[in-house]
Amino acid sequence: MTVVVVESPAKAKTINKYLGKDFTVLASYGHVRDLPAKDGSVRPDADFEMDWEVDGKSAKRLSDIAAALKSDDRLILATDPDREGEAISWHVLEVLRRKGALKGKSVQRVVFNAITRNAVLEAMQHPRDVDSALVDAYLARRALDYLVGFSLSPVLWRKLPGSRSAGRVQSVALRLICDRELEIEAFRAQEFWTIDGTFLTPGGQEFQASLNAIGGKRLGKLDIADEASARAIEQAVKGQPFKVDSIESKPARRHPYPPFRTSTLQQEASRKLGFSSSRTMQIAQRLYEGVDIGGETVGLITYMRTDGVDMAPEAIASTRNAILKNFGEPYLPSVPRHYTTKAKNAQEAHEAIRPTDMSRHPNTVRRALDQDQFALYELVWKRTIASQMESAELERTTADIGADGRDGKHYSFRATGSVVKFDGFLKVYSESLDDGEDEDSRRLPPMSRGDSVGVKKIEGVQHFTEPPPRYSEASLIKKLEELGIGRPSTYVSILETLRLRGYVKLDKKRLIPEDKGRVVTAFLESFFRRYVEYDFTADLEEQLDKVSAGEIDWKQVLRDFWRDFTAALEDVKELRVSNVLDALNDILAPHIFPPREDGGDARACPSCGTGQLSLKLGKFGSFIGCSNYPECKYTRPMTASAEGPEAVPAEGVLLGVDPETGEKVTRRLGRFGPYLQLGEAVEGEKPQRASIPKGRKPEDITLEEALKLLSLPREVGVHPETGKPIVANFGRFGPFILHDGTYANLDSPEDVFTVGINRAVDILAEKKARGFQRPKAGALRDLGPHPAGGGNIQVMSGRYGPYVKFGKVNATLPRDKDPQALTVEEAVALIQEREAKGPSKKKAPARKAAAKKPAAETAAAKKVPAKKPAAKKPAKKPVKAKKPKAA
């Protein structure tokens, strides 16, 4: 008997069917051990010795594997065919060795690129040893990530309160996003004009052309700078006869794209299907692990974490047969196509992502797949088929239409177009375009040199230059790959980590840096610049790839890195916070101190007029404050509104006077945003304040609305059954009513002021009938089983917002994350991050805390006379505990 270890239970079940009764296939459920999330797990002083920890669930699975080996004499490690898969095999091997479970046992490693019967059986015929070079590369990468995280994060926490942590690769990706935002903020639109014409051939057919040259000199994009210049050109050619100066047609060929690798699959799935990168990989994982077809579980695509673009010879032959069968001989090139990737540090040994059986047309498996699975499988199938098809043949035509202007200059307009002579691979697949119309889709009507051309319209069109676009997930992955940063297995986790830490948000599929992320990036650029440089990170990745190829020693890579990194850490530890703030003020100036319309000093305090605005660091993050504090208490959020920073003085904007109290009602701006205030602060007492509800523009709040908000919470009435009050108010998640510890949501903000006692009692009764009491959180969604087993993952609705629940672990969702759009991968990442923090420390109950205070202090707080301390009673003798009786 032979024990086979794979990663997932779904894969184990399928492979067991392929191998038969002589094999026992068990799942490791991913990684079985990791570095404990505490200082000292990697010890540079001990030549980078590493301490590993096995969690409880993995310990049981490893025990199951060890138990199975007692009656079997052979162990085959069949985890995924990449670095992570090799690392999992090594971890399993090391734990079993320490258990003494491998004495007299044969241990082998096999890899397969697809989960099909033939692929698995073929792999079993070619076993090998665990690749020590790949394991070394994994160890180096894991140690580097740990050392950077556990050394740099404490510096961040001390110097930048409110920051989370910094990662080796994530920090560089964050810098890309922040640098792009700085480019956008520094961008100044520039006006330019084009002269566009609609012309008519002698046969009356319309075509478009644009001014290309004046007096034989070709125009640049910005050469026509203003309306006056455009109108002068219009007048110069108005009423002048046009003719075809030249026309030229050239044949052209468009070649097919290579099959998908991880990054290009994520990019095209985003453009064509609207999938996020994590969603794409989730679906691809399911297609790889297999679906039920005709009573047998079959993997539909090959392994989806790869940077290779070539295919195995038998796969190429199968693809060519499918082309011949489905499209005919004209679409089949005479020789097969072979591709090589242009990405840095690619592992060419890995095959591209392709269907496991090219004869399995998407329509034949549609019933076995859900809508998203079918869409992604069809995309992979079409791209693979197209990669081996004949090139498309086109004819590109360029026509120059000219006229002599009234000013004596010759004006030349150019028209371009293409005709597809043979569609080739375009019959199956064309890569999506991000910007409008492709010139290949435009066709020019027939015309000849010397033909007179009619003019239907010539007009100047105003344009403005546009800033570079923000990164989407797909374009950021493409950029990371171009720079040689990250690897196929890390792209999704990089993006997820940045979002979970609150460093970026996703808005309309574009990545926007949050203030917290910009501050962290500015800090790292100022004091750890080398370690967020693109070239440095790419060079380090290249060294790690050399380790995996067995060319250099992994510990030497760590020694070189750690020597320089510790020196940088020591330099920064001596910095004062004031030095940090000065550096951040300079780097972030375009963002936090935008130019004023009047041209004045952008950093001048709008309240006192003499102070200078500066970035301040508080317990809950960054904000802008005045240098004259505490005399001037002006503050505002770090980010100004879209309309520009609002100059709200420290005394607030006066909205009016409360007719009942005669006190002023003001609108103010604090570090946490705008709020309303009634009256002024009196020594020892805070004035009445109210937050402005989400969705309301502060400047639109009237005195009447302000008084209503300041009157909250509003008592709706007394509950007829309990005799306890029902109150209405606004909370973090919108309008609500509260009765005896039970919260119930209201439909609209206006309900806070209008809901009556009868309706309030009904709402509370409805909630009680549904069983949603405050102590019991409601399940919003069931995401299904955790990939590592141990039960289902649920998205819950709690008192403080939605969160993810898995067993005893609760992980809060980021504010910008829609609980209905949360994927399993995102949920697992949240759970892992929460587990890494360890159990939360429970605060002592208020009663116990109060009990520890002296009686006089407690009584003073309650404003009642303090009781005299009672006389001490004599201590009782300790009672000896009785021994329990034997059962």
Side-chain angles (χ1 to χ4, degrees), residues 219-491:
L219 290 175
K221 180 180 178 179
L222 304 177
D223 283 356
I224 306 175
D226 51 40
E227 184 177 8
S229 302
R231 300 298 175 226
I233 294 171
E234 285 180 13
Q235 292 300 315
V237 298
K238 187 176 182 179
Q240 299 299 100
F242 279 82
K243 66 176 183 178
V244 179
D245 287 341
S246 66
I247 186 164
E248 183 180 20
S249 296
K250 290 182 178 179
R253 290 169 67 86
R254 282 184 63 180
H255 303 298
Y257 308 99
F260 283 128
R261 59 184 185 272
T262 302
S263 61
T264 53
L265 176 65
Q266 290 171 348
Q267 291 164 41
E268 274 293 87
S270 174
R271 288 194 287 251
K272 287 182 179 292
L273 307 177
F275 293 166
S276 67
S277 54
S278 60
R279 179 66 178 151
T280 299
M281 297 310 290
Q282 179 187 11
I283 298 168
Q285 179 83 36
R286 291 176 184 171
L287 295 175
Y288 166 68
E289 291 190 348
V291 297
D292 189 287
I293 297 177
E296 182 176 351
T297 303
V298 179
L300 293 184
I301 65 171
T302 55
Y303 191 57
M304 63 285 161
R305 293 186 183 91
T306 174
D307 44 20
V309 291
D310 205 2
M311 298 193 298
E314 60 271 18
I316 292 175
S318 175
T319 303
R320 289 173 61 83
N321 288 337
I323 293 169
L324 194 62
K325 178 181 176 182
N326 290 284
F327 304 101
E329 193 171 343
Y331 290 89
L332 186 68
S334 57
V335 294
R337 295 183 183 275
H338 294 279
Y339 296 93
T340 56
T341 183
K342 295 179 181 178
K344 293 184 179 181
N345 310 324
Q347 302 171 81
E348 296 293 353
H350 286 179
E351 202 177 348
I353 303 168
R354 60 170 177 83
T356 55
D357 184 352
M358 291 307 303
S359 65
R360 196 174 283 120
H361 192 280
N363 289 335
T364 64
V365 296
R366 182 189 283 267
R367 291 185 178 181
L369 305 175
D370 64 29
Q371 185 175 347
D372 289 351
Q373 291 170 346
F374 173 77
L376 193 67
Y377 177 71
E378 184 180 44
L379 190 69
V380 173
W381 189 88
K382 286 183 174 181
R383 175 83 166 220
T384 307
I385 285 284
S387 71
Q388 289 296 323
M389 290 179 75
E390 189 60 84
S391 300
E393 297 177 4
L394 305 94
E395 184 178 80
R396 290 201 170 109
T397 304
T398 303
D400 288 331
I401 315 300
D404 292 326
R406 297 173 185 272
D407 55 2
K409 298 176 183 177
H410 188 76
Y411 291 82
S412 180
F413 288 71
R414 175 160 290 182
T416 58
S418 297
V419 177
V420 177
K421 295 291 188 180
F422 172 66
D423 54 5
F425 77 95
L426 293 175
K427 190 176 187 70
V428 179
Y429 187 91
S430 63
E431 195 164 65
S432 294
L433 296 171
D434 292 323
D435 303 309
E437 184 184 33
D438 183 6
E439 70 168 20
D440 290 342
S441 64
R442 296 198 302 269
R443 181 172 182 167
L444 290 181
M447 63 184 85
S448 302
R449 183 177 179 180
D451 284 353
S452 294
V453 175
V455 178
K456 185 175 181 179
K457 178 175 65 175
I458 292 178
E459 63 177 353
V461 180
Q462 185 186 39
H463 306 273
F464 291 92
T465 54
E466 294 184 354
R470 290 187 175 106
Y471 285 109
S472 63
E473 284 192 353
S475 60
L476 181 64
I477 289 170
K478 184 178 181 181
K479 185 66 176 179
L480 289 170
E481 188 179 42
E482 288 173 358
L483 294 170
I485 296 169
R487 290 297 176 265
S489 61
T490 63
Y491 296 136

Side-chain angles (χ1 to χ4, degrees), residues 57-78:
K57 292 177 182 176
S58 295
K60 184 181 182 307
R61 291 162 193 145
L62 288 165
S63 295
D64 292 342
I65 296 170
L69 279 168
K70 288 181 180 179
S71 56
D72 298 330
D73 56 3
R74 186 183 179 206
L75 172 66
I76 292 181
L77 300 164

Side-chain angles (χ1 to χ4, degrees), residues 815-841:
R815 289 189 182 185
D816 64 340
K817 191 65 191 176
D818 180 4
Q820 297 300 328
L822 189 75
T823 65
V824 174
E825 284 78 10
E826 292 169 334
V828 169
L830 285 167
I831 291 163
Q832 289 174 342
E833 185 177 16
R834 182 66 191 85
E835 285 179 323
K837 293 178 180 177
S840 57
K841 296 180 180 178

Side-chain angles (χ1 to χ4, degrees), residues 483-529:
L483 294 170
I485 296 169
R487 290 297 176 265
S489 61
T490 63
Y491 296 136
V492 172
S493 63
I494 289 170
L495 294 168
E496 286 304 308
T497 301
L498 293 179
R499 280 206 293 269
L500 291 174
R501 288 177 180 166
Y503 290 160
V504 301
K505 65 179 179 181
L506 195 62
D507 183 31
K508 297 178 181 177
K509 296 187 177 182
R510 295 287 169 174
L511 293 163
I512 303 173
E514 297 277 26
D515 288 340
K516 188 187 298 182
R518 299 190 70 159
V519 169
V520 168
T521 296
F523 175 80
L524 294 176
E525 281 194 77
S526 298
F527 305 108
F528 291 91
R529 185 167 186 84

Side-chain angles (χ1 to χ4, degrees), residues 201-217:
T201 66
Q205 293 175 288
E206 286 187 12
F207 65 96
Q208 278 72 42
S210 296
L211 184 63
N212 180 60
I214 300 176
K217 183 181 178 182

Side-chain angles (χ1 to χ4, degrees), residues 14 17 28 50 65 144 173 425 449 496 517 620 689 733:
T14 303
K17 290 179 182 177
S28 72
M50 302 164 79
I65 296 170
L144 281 170
F425 77 95
R449 183 177 179 180
E496 286 304 308
F620 301 102
R689 291 173 177 173
F733 301 104

Side-chain angles (χ1 to χ4, degrees), residues 426-700:
L426 293 175
K427 190 176 187 70
V428 179
Y429 187 91
S430 63
E431 195 164 65
S432 294
L433 296 171
D434 292 323
D435 303 309
E437 184 184 33
D438 183 6
E439 70 168 20
D440 290 342
S441 64
R442 296 198 302 269
R443 181 172 182 167
L444 290 181
M447 63 184 85
S448 302
R449 183 177 179 180
D451 284 353
S452 294
V453 175
V455 178
K456 185 175 181 179
K457 178 175 65 175
I458 292 178
E459 63 177 353
V461 180
Q462 185 186 39
H463 306 273
F464 291 92
T465 54
E466 294 184 354
R470 290 187 175 106
Y471 285 109
S472 63
E473 284 192 353
S475 60
L476 181 64
I477 289 170
K478 184 178 181 181
K479 185 66 176 179
L480 289 170
E481 188 179 42
E482 288 173 358
L483 294 170
I485 296 169
R487 290 297 176 265
S489 61
T490 63
Y491 296 136
V492 172
S493 63
I494 289 170
L495 294 168
E496 286 304 308
T497 301
L498 293 179
R499 280 206 293 269
L500 291 174
R501 288 177 180 166
Y503 290 160
V504 301
K505 65 179 179 181
L506 195 62
D507 183 31
K508 297 178 181 177
K509 296 187 177 182
R510 295 287 169 174
L511 293 163
I512 303 173
E514 297 277 26
D515 288 340
K516 188 187 298 182
R518 299 190 70 159
V519 169
V520 168
T521 296
F523 175 80
L524 294 176
E525 281 194 77
S526 298
F527 305 108
F528 291 91
R529 185 167 186 84
R530 183 187 180 201
Y531 301 97
V532 289
E533 288 286 358
Y534 306 136
D535 289 344
F536 174 81
T537 307
D539 288 344
L540 192 55
E541 292 284 345
E542 190 171 354
Q543 289 185 59
L544 293 171
D545 286 335
K546 287 181 178 179
V547 172
S548 66
E551 297 175 11
I552 56 177
D553 177 49
W554 69 281
K555 287 193 175 181
Q556 188 57 49
V557 173
L558 292 178
R559 292 184 199 109
D560 294 341
F561 174 86
W562 187 244
R563 181 185 60 248
D564 298 335
F565 187 63
T566 49
L569 282 172
E570 290 302 318
D571 291 342
V572 174
K573 284 178 181 177
E574 302 302 320
L575 282 173
R576 299 170 64 94
V577 172
S578 58
N579 302 134
V580 174
L581 291 177
D582 289 343
L584 298 185
N585 281 330
D586 291 340
I587 290 181
L588 295 172
H591 174 59
I592 58 179
F593 308 121
R596 286 169 44 170
E597 290 184 3
D598 61 4
D601 183 2
R603 292 187 61 178
C605 177
S607 179
C608 67
T610 60
Q612 286 281 293
L613 297 182
S614 173
L615 189 68
K616 305 286 184 182
L617 302 174
K619 181 179 179 182
F620 301 102
S622 308
F623 63 98
I624 304 300
C626 179
S627 60
N628 284 341
Y629 179 85
E631 288 77 17
C632 177
K633 293 183 172 61
Y634 174 83
T635 60
R636 67 168 170 82
M638 181 175 156
T639 307
S641 66
E643 291 79 18
E646 185 185 21
V648 179
E651 66 272 14
V653 176
L654 181 64
L655 299 180
V657 176
D658 180 8
E660 291 187 10
T661 64
E663 292 187 296
K664 294 178 180 179
V665 178
T666 53
R667 173 168 56 82
R668 303 183 179 227
L669 193 62
R671 67 179 67 177
F672 303 115
Y675 65 93
L676 302 167
Q677 181 171 307
L678 177 64
E680 296 294 336
V682 180
E683 189 174 350
E685 292 185 19
K686 285 187 177 181
Q688 189 173 346
R689 291 173 177 173
S691 298
I692 294 174
K694 289 182 180 179
R696 293 287 287 126
K697 287 187 176 180
E699 57 269 26
D700 292 344

